[in-house]
Amino acid sequence: MNGEYLRVSPAELARAVEDPDWAFEYVQEVMETDGINDVAPSDARQLTTHKAWHAIAFLLERAAVPVDIVHGEQTFTSEDWGYGPAKYLDPDQVKLAAEALAQLPFDGLIRDVDSGQLTAAQVYPLHWDEADALEWVRGWFDPLAPFFGAAAQVGEAMLLWLD
């Protein structure tokens, strides 16, 4: 189960909301032609947080981030895109997310967090007893700030889903 993101223009978001089947096909096309995480996050159209999505959601919830950066805020389809329907963040929410991420260094997010908390909360993928588990999460978290920041700079929205 992987956390997935695609930057879209406001016009592409409007089309996705109006025609979710088009959005699914568009996502598939982009994912086939663009390599995920093959370019700098600020230049990428798509990004994955791999299996770290749930740990990132746990950490961001503890930090009281005002927008759901992992799952999105609005559902635009009832179709299952892997593990539930896709959601989106509108351009204002992307901007809010970018501002929050810019203020959240990973070391601050994991302060006072231990593997027992992640295990007790049943945070996927449940391998929190490994010594470098939180460092593994850092590798998937760190690209989010430049990715969201670049999208916010140009007024883009974001499609989000788990597959």
Side-chain angles (χ1 to χ4, degrees):
M1 187 180 314
N2 301 306
E4 307 290 353
Y5 299 84
L6 181 68
R7 292 169 48 179
V8 293
S9 69
E12 290 167 332
L13 175 61
R15 184 168 181 192
V17 170
E18 183 178 308
D19 185 358
D21 290 335
W22 170 84
F24 185 78
E25 290 175 18
Y26 180 64
V27 163
Q28 297 304 311
E29 178 184 313
V30 171
M31 290 181 76
E32 287 175 12
T33 58
D34 295 359
I36 294 178
N37 295 9
D38 286 345
V39 298
S42 58
D43 296 330
R45 295 234 13 217
Q46 61 179 335
L47 189 79
T48 185
T49 53
H50 192 52
K51 296 178 185 319
W53 65 271
H54 198 197
I56 293 168
F58 175 85
L59 295 169
L60 293 174
E61 185 176 318
R62 286 180 80 241
V65 172
V67 62
D68 192 340
I69 294 170
V70 173
H71 299 101
E73 293 287 340
Q74 293 86 236
T75 302
F76 68 93
T77 179
S78 60
E79 294 297 316
D80 185 342
W81 280 30
Y83 291 93
K87 294 187 178 183
Y88 70 89
L89 298 174
D90 65 30
D92 290 336
Q93 292 165 327
V94 169
K95 183 179 181 198
L96 186 60
E99 291 167 352
L101 288 166
Q103 301 299 315
L104 291 171
F106 191 74
D107 288 334
L109 282 177
I110 63 170
R111 186 174 298 119
D112 302 324
V113 173
D114 63 39
S115 62
Q117 292 169 311
L118 294 161
T119 301
Q122 298 184 344
V123 173
Y124 178 84
L126 297 174
H127 66 70
W128 306 112
D129 56 342
E130 296 175 16
D132 63 346
L134 285 174
E135 285 304 310
W136 171 78
V137 174
R138 179 192 306 269
W140 298 104
F141 174 81
D142 284 348
L144 287 171
F147 182 71
F148 272 83
Q153 274 190 320
V154 295
E156 290 178 320
M158 193 82 61
L159 302 183
L160 303 86
W161 70 98
L162 299 175
D163 70 2

